[in-house]
Each structure stands twice: as structure tokens, then as C-alpha cells.
């Protein structure tokens, strides 16, 4: 497996995609070389580890962050809704404290671009197709968060990142 962290300074701008939640993930996408580094959201004691998250984000120095805009789901329990909201808030807080431009994108928006439905397996298969070098990091059903983080980052690079800012 390639160590993208070690190479990140050589690979041009980095776009971070985040699939929030305790089973979510981080996708550090390098458009110049069409590569993505994938990590699960760091947790400790059943919660997002804000210090670990901040350290990982700072290490990759992303130019922008694309975070999936989420909301409570019907029939989701009060406790799980609260935990999910807390995780989302912690991620937003870390990114805000680091001063990185943040874009919130609904699942409907970015999934429409890739012609995906709500089935997370579709996202995983699309990510494997777009990032075959990461197939080993996406090979299990539970890796859907990594897949969605990668796709969010790629979406951000294609539609939200201001490439003119690099020429300045």
C-alpha cells in the first residue's frame, strides 16, 4: 500500500471528503495524480476523537473539505440520532477550528453526479472503479464510509475547488 501521507507534499492540492459518523471515514484526494488516501474516522471510547481527527487533517493539509450534509433519519432512535449529531458537530468543529474552507453537500447532490442510489454498496463499487489502487481498502461491505468519503472528495475537486487560486 502506498504511503500517501509521506508523499502528500509532492502530489499537489489535497481535497478532503468526509463521510461523518462513528463508522464514517476520511478521503484525502489528490486530483493532480488521481489518488486517494482513505482512513476511518478516529474514535475513542465510542466517540469521535477530535484531537486525533485534527492531527490527521493537519498532516495532510487539505485545501478544502467536503462534508456530507446529514440529517436525522426516520425511525432512527433518539439515542443514535443524538450520537450521530454529536459526531457531525465534532467534525464540523475540528474543521472550523483548523480554518479550512468547508462545503456541505447533500447525499442527493453528489450521488446524482455519480448516478448512485441510496444503496451504499453502489458507492463502494463506484469507488473501486474510480480508485482501483484502493480496492484493498474498500473490499468489505463495512468500507462504504471510505468509499463515500473518496467520492465526496472527488466531487469537491470537480465542482467546488477553485483551481484558479493555485495560479495566483
Amino acid at each position: 500500500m502506498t504511503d500517501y501521507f509521506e508523499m502528500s507534499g509532492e502530489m499537489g492540492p489535497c481535497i478532503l471528503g468526509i463521510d461523518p459518523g462513528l463508522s464514517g471515514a476520511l478521503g484525502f484526494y489528490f486530483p493532480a495524480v488521481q489518488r486517494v488516501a482513505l482512513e476511518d474516522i478516529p474514535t475513542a471510547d465510542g466517540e469521535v476523537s477530535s484531537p486525533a481527527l485534527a492531527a490527521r487533517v493537519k498532516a495532510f493539509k487539505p485545501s478544502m473539505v467536503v462534508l456530507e450534509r446529514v440529517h436525522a433519519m426516520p425511525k432512527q432512535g433518539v439515542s443514535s440520532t443524538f450520537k450521530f449529531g454529536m459526531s457531525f458537530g465534532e467534525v464540523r468543529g475540528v474543521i472550523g477550528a483548523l480554518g479550512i474552507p468547508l462545503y456541505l453537500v447533500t447525499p442527493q447532490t453528489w450521488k446524482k453526479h455519480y448516478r448512485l442510489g441510496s444503496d451504499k454498496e453502489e458507492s463502494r463499487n463506484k469507488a473501486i472503479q474510480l480508485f482501483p489502487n484502493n480496492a484493498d481498502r474498500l473490499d468489505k461491505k463495512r468500507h462504504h464510509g471510505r468509499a463515500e468519503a473518496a467520492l465526496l472528495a472527488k466531487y469537491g475537486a470537480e465542482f467546488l475547488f477553485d483551481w484558479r487560486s493555485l495560479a495566483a
Side-chain angles (χ1 to χ4, degrees):
M1 182 170 72
T2 304
D3 187 353
Y4 291 114
F5 172 68
E6 292 296 321
M7 298 171 54
S8 64
E10 308 163 13
M11 297 195 309
C14 173
I15 311 298
L16 171 56
I18 303 178
D19 180 49
L22 294 176
S23 61
L26 311 171
F28 298 94
Y29 177 56
F30 299 90
V33 293
Q34 297 290 302
R35 297 282 193 254
V36 66
L38 300 170
E39 299 185 13
D40 295 326
I41 289 210
T43 60
D45 299 322
E47 296 181 3
V48 171
S49 172
S50 295
L53 176 61
R56 294 310 295 153
V57 173
K58 282 197 293 191
F60 278 93
K61 301 179 181 94
S63 302
M64 64 178 273
V65 175
V66 182
L67 175 63
E68 187 173 59
R69 180 186 294 273
V70 293
H71 52 80
M73 300 296 287
K75 299 184 181 179
Q76 194 173 28
V78 174
S79 178
S80 60
T81 299
F82 181 78
K83 284 181 184 177
F84 191 67
M86 285 289 295
S87 298
F88 180 74
E90 285 189 64
V91 169
R92 281 192 75 172
V94 166
I95 300 307
L98 294 174
I100 303 169
L102 173 66
Y103 296 86
L104 299 173
V105 179
T106 65
Q108 296 83 359
T109 300
W110 71 264
K111 286 185 176 193
K112 181 179 178 182
H113 169 67
Y114 293 110
R115 295 182 174 95
L116 300 172
S118 60
D119 182 2
K120 296 192 178 286
E121 197 61 14
E122 290 178 31
S123 297
R124 200 172 65 81
N125 289 329
K126 180 57 114 176
I128 290 170
Q129 175 192 347
L130 293 172
F131 304 107
N133 291 345
N134 291 90
D136 63 326
R137 306 271 301 141
L138 298 164
D139 62 347
K140 294 179 177 53
K141 282 186 113 168
R142 69 171 190 236
H143 295 155
H144 61 81
R146 295 176 185 175
E148 295 199 342
L151 295 172
L152 277 159
K154 184 169 174 52
Y155 176 87
E158 293 173 355
F159 292 99
L160 303 171
F161 187 68
D162 180 8
W163 291 96
R164 294 171 302 202
S165 66
L166 295 178

